[in-house]
Amino acid sequence: MTPIEPMPASPSARLIWPFFRERAAFILLGLLALMIVDVLQLFIPRIIKRAVDGLTGATTNAHQLLQYALAITLLAILIALFRYFWRRLLLGTSRRIEEGLRNRLFAHIQTLSAAYFDHTTVGSLMAHATNDIKQIRMACGMGLVALNDALVLGTAAVAFMVYISPRLTAFVLIPMPLIVFGTRFFSRKMHRRYQNVQRNFAELTEIVRERFAGIRIIKAYTQEQAAAQQVEQASKGYVAANLKLVRVVGAFLPMMVLLTNMSLAIVLFLGGRMTIAGTITPGDFVAFIAYLGLLTWPMMAMGWVTNLIQRGRASLDRIDVIFQTRPQVTSRPDARCLESVEGEIRFEQVAFAYGGREDGARTAPVLRDLSFDLPAGRTLGIVGPPGSGKSTLLSLIARIYDVTDGCIRIDGLDIRGIRVPDLRRAIAFVPQEPFLFATSIRENITLGNPRIDTTQVVAAARQAAIYDTIAALPAGFDTLVGEKGIVLSGGQKQRIALARALLQDRPLLLLDDPISQVDVHTGRRIIDHVRSLAGRRTVIIVSHRLTALQHADRIFTLDHGRIIESGTHHELMQAGGYYAGTFALQQIEGTLDAH
Ligand code: ADP
């Protein structure tokens, strides 16, 4: 057992415990250096006492004074040296704890399911990753230092004072309980107000982030003033919360100083009289005042440490809530590896409702009683009015969400019984809203995989009908996109996202409205390529443009989460339902556009 093995006091403290254990040697050495500084500081008043007594008794000479001066200089040098060591060791460790915790937090948040992000704002996650982790660092670093000083320096200073005069010490310590009770009262208040500051900070960050994300809409609708007002409002709330906090912090510190000054007044009056009476020497009197000066910091540290540790604990508890959140979509312990995939997809009475309401209840079902079988290598087209559940259906296959009822099978296996990474590796998915990272076009297509060579990237770009556009750019595939690079149109982004999916030679291809933002001609080239995959890949295409689905082996119309018609293009045209009506309308529109 290492010396710091006992169980952590708070359940959430187990989060930082491994970091403490890992760096136990640094912490112990740091504490040792800190204690050495404390002890060395305590010697200075002793030297002052000798010098003053020597001077008042006229028993000292210049040579001795030089010795005292040299001793104090040596102590000062040692104090500086050991102070440097403890700062490096203890504050360095707290920085490492901060780093480790932040990395773990990010890694953990990444494992959480899409449903978590549906109801968690980026602002609050940022607040946790910055403010909370900083508070934990403060508690682990300065908190430890303050705790050590409050105990070691505080006790030792009092011991030296008692050595000089127990009676005087007793009087001087009278204001101390006031400091302790005052500290407890104020630290509780500070903690509550600090939480309020945190809440306001998260709100402000989220509002600003959202206003910038939606800056185009704000400009287009000339909402700049309203946006500025909303930010101002949130900013005002944040400042007000901070000022409330500052008011208690501001009252707390002067109170500490006032109380220690009261002790000084007691020493001057009582200690002065004891010196006149000869009970203590003038050197003791001066040393006593010096010890009192040394005691100020440990007393304040006592107040500070409760505050630091309280804040750190509150932050740790908040972060622990995130760590306690388990991903909803996980691999079951008995989950199977998926070695080779044929690509048959079967839905058996699938129902789905989004969760995420505050009370944990689910919202109305989005998909109901959905059953179909898509043999391997076939293409399924899905149409339906907006909100009918088409995108949801695709995301269920990739287990972005899990079905609420029923079962989805791939090659006869329930997808919940397949290891999640294996399942996702079998699927190439192009979501409706393509997302590009702020890096080069090449890296966006390869997702940073350096093993993919240029010929493959070029082929994928050609298949997604985006090659000519990229080749015309000055830096070609190395052109940066996003804030630091060029601005791409919605259709260009869509095709880069499509190239990314086509590059991944995966047995299942899920396309969510892949040609919604490209012209008819380009759309046809893309669909021709997708058609050429027939037999080799199982494809599901959601599209509002029905010509994209015309050649699918089977087409569904979804409405309110149910399949209301199903068949080939010809069958659906003859049925004369939603599909036939929409197709006819799009044909007329196409003819009109052509004229
Ligand atoms: P479609 O793709 O057919 O337009 P969706 O599958 O996107 O339809 O949406 C179906 C329904 O589910 C809609 O009513 C939509 O409001 C709801 N919905 C979609 N995504 C979410 C989500 N993340 N959380 C809650 N409800 C959602």
Side-chain angles (χ1 to χ4, degrees), residues 132 135-136 139 307-317:
D132 277 334
Q135 291 309 323
I136 296 168
N307 192 12
L308 275 180
I309 290 180
Q310 225 169 26
R311 285 188 193 185
R313 251 187 86 160
S315 290
L316 206 53
D317 287 344

Side-chain angles (χ1 to χ4, degrees), residues 106-176:
F106 180 75
H108 175 76
I109 293 176
Q110 271 207 112
T111 67
L112 296 179
S113 311
Y116 178 78
F117 298 96
D118 284 344
H119 55 86
T120 309
T121 61
V122 175
S124 78
L125 288 179
M126 292 299 282
H128 288 305
T130 51
N131 280 0
D132 277 334
I133 292 200
K134 179 179 147 214
Q135 291 309 323
I136 296 168
R137 182 196 77 216
M138 292 285 286
C140 294
M142 282 319 287
L144 202 61
V145 173
L147 186 66
N148 175 83
D149 283 354
L151 296 177
V152 178
L153 192 58
T155 318
V158 171
F160 274 86
M161 287 159 85
V162 169
Y163 176 70
I164 294 172
S165 165
R167 209 175 125 233
L168 188 56
T169 312
F171 279 112
V172 164
L173 292 184
I174 288 173
M176 299 305 161

Side-chain angles (χ1 to χ4, degrees), residues 118 354 363 366 385-393 401 432:
D118 284 344
Y354 283 99
T363 47
V366 172
S388 54
K390 305 180 293 296
S391 303
T392 307
L393 187 152
Y401 300 92
Q432 203 167 14

Side-chain angles (χ1 to χ4, degrees), residues 377-379 501-502 504-507 509 533-539:
R378 297 294 173 86
T379 300
L502 293 174
Q504 318 280 335
D505 195 14
R506 295 178 173 182
L509 182 60
L533 299 172
R536 287 183 287 143
R537 293 196 206 172
T538 312
V539 183

Side-chain angles (χ1 to χ4, degrees), residues 161 164-165 167-176 259-276 280-293 295-296:
M161 287 159 85
I164 294 172
S165 165
R167 209 175 125 233
L168 188 56
T169 312
F171 279 112
V172 164
L173 292 184
I174 288 173
M176 299 305 161
L259 292 172
T260 41
N261 277 339
M262 272 168 64
S263 295
L264 184 63
I266 295 173
V267 181
L268 265 179
F269 181 63
L270 292 180
R273 279 178 28 168
M274 286 166 86
T275 315
I276 294 169
I280 57 172
T281 66
D284 283 335
F285 176 69
V286 177
F288 203 92
I289 290 177
Y291 282 125
L292 192 63
L295 197 60
T296 312

Side-chain angles (χ1 to χ4, degrees), residues 317-382:
D317 287 344
R318 269 194 294 275
I319 287 197
D320 195 37
V321 172
I322 304 180
F323 277 111
Q324 290 307 314
T325 310
R326 296 276 144 238
Q328 289 174 355
V329 173
T330 49
S331 300
R332 285 199 317 230
D334 61 340
R336 302 236 322 244
C337 294
L338 202 58
E339 262 131 38
S340 68
V341 182
E342 288 296 316
E344 186 216 8
I345 299 175
R346 194 176 339 135
F347 272 52
E348 292 174 358
Q349 288 161 343
V350 168
F352 178 75
Y354 283 99
R357 264 184 27 195
E358 286 283 303
D359 55 7
R362 289 191 170 265
T363 47
V366 172
L367 297 175
R368 307 153 214 250
D369 197 22
L370 217 58
S371 297
F372 66 86
D373 186 12
L374 180 65
R378 297 294 173 86
T379 300
L380 170 69
I382 303 179

